[in-house]
Amino acid sequence: MTTPAPPLLVIGECVADIVRTDGAPDRVHPGGSPANLAYGVARLGRPAVLLTELGPDANGRLIRSHLESAGVVVRAAEVVRTPSAVVRLDGQGRPEYTFDIGWTLPPAELTAAPAAIHLGSIGAVTEPGAAAVLALVERWRDRAQVSYDPNVRPALMGERAEAVRRVERCVALSDLVKASDEDLAWLYPGEPAEAVAERWLTLGPAVVAVTLGAEGAFALTAGGRRERAAAVPVTVADTVGAGDSFMAAFLHARAAGTDLAGCLTEAVTAAALTVSRPGADPPSAAELAAALGDGTGVGPKA
């Protein structure tokens, strides 16, 4: 019998994504990178707890219901209104965001010691709430595996040098880091993604994975191992939530003891399933297994 993976504590923002395309009515999707990650992990069968903020409004109720439908335990401090982002899609389904968001997470205590913690995006670097996030991670990092995804939002990152300092502090606290090539291009203009990943490894992580969009992904380890996975061909509906789905599947596979190459394969397949349908809609365990099993499970949702 396989021992189930311990619950994952995810800390970070929820965002109502208002998807806007020319000639079509607005569509509201539950979003926020950490929330998407918690949902994606739960869809794959791993228990997840999300420490976050939500407003007592329709968007807050929508997001909570969405997360709880997958089994995520939501621990939300109440704010005046749920953060939102207008997401405009270009002709290739790539999103551009305009945010209405704050992050004021108060100091929090945990009722049980976490075995694994994930942090990322706005919640990890935006004050005053980032202080509470980092305090929790620093308190528990010696007893919990820590993962981090910067999921850079340039409009919210402020001055670049300070943003790099904040991101690198989170990298140094983590065992596993995932970033996109676009994240790295904004943080370190002109530097090759692999060179940045190698430098991040010197800060402390055991693994750094980088997604490359249509070029797939690669991962490096502190022990010198290098793996690369090609992207899975797919008709793109939009790319919202693709990186979060990648990270959820990578974490799920790693917790199951899968080797690095297998983790990358599962992650790029999960990302392909997500981009094949609108919004941050990651695969279930059965969908991912089908796609991995015969290569035919990636396609538009019926």
Side-chain angles (χ1 to χ4, degrees), residues 46-256:
R46 181 175 184 181
V49 177
L50 177 64
L51 183 60
T52 189
E53 295 179 332
L54 287 172
D57 49 29
N59 285 340
R61 292 189 292 274
L62 172 69
I63 292 171
R64 181 183 288 275
S65 176
H66 169 75
L67 291 166
E68 290 178 346
S69 74
V72 177
V73 175
V74 180
R75 288 185 54 190
E78 185 170 303
V79 290
V80 173
R81 68 179 181 276
T82 299
S84 64
V86 174
V87 186
R88 293 185 179 274
L89 302 175
D90 66 14
Q92 285 73 50
R94 293 174 301 203
E96 295 182 357
Y97 295 88
T98 303
F99 293 96
D100 178 11
I101 187 169
W103 179 245
T104 57
L105 188 75
E109 294 296 333
L110 304 181
T111 57
I117 302 173
H118 177 80
L119 69 156
S121 199
I122 298 163
V125 297
T126 302
E127 298 296 357
V133 176
L134 295 180
L136 270 178
V137 173
E138 288 172 341
R139 188 178 310 152
W140 293 103
R141 66 184 298 260
D142 290 339
R143 287 168 282 179
Q145 291 288 306
V146 178
S147 57
Y148 171 57
D149 178 0
N151 193 49
V152 169
R153 298 292 180 238
L156 299 173
M157 296 298 286
E159 194 270 329
R160 193 188 312 270
E162 176 62 15
V164 169
R165 186 191 70 78
R166 289 177 178 272
V167 166
E168 289 184 351
R169 181 182 180 191
C170 294
V171 170
L173 289 171
S174 302
D175 302 289
L176 166 64
V177 178
K178 169 262 171 189
S180 71
D181 54 351
E182 293 179 347
D183 293 335
L184 301 184
W186 188 87
L187 291 165
Y188 310 99
E191 291 195 47
E194 191 158 331
V196 175
E198 289 175 342
R199 189 165 69 252
W200 277 6
L201 285 171
T202 69
L203 299 179
V207 179
V208 174
V210 179
T211 59
L212 307 169
E215 300 303 313
F218 70 84
L220 310 180
T221 74
R225 186 169 180 184
R226 298 167 182 259
E227 294 288 352
R228 185 172 292 266
V232 177
V234 66
T235 299
V236 176
D238 64 51
T239 62
V240 177
D244 305 321
S245 184
F246 176 100
M247 187 60 158
F250 197 105
L251 288 173
H252 181 265
R254 192 165 184 246

Side-chain angles (χ1 to χ4, degrees), residues 18-41:
I18 304 168
V19 180
R20 187 164 293 168
T21 52
D22 293 339
D26 289 351
R27 294 174 287 125
V28 180
H29 295 288
S33 178
N36 292 341
L37 185 284
Y39 182 80
V41 165

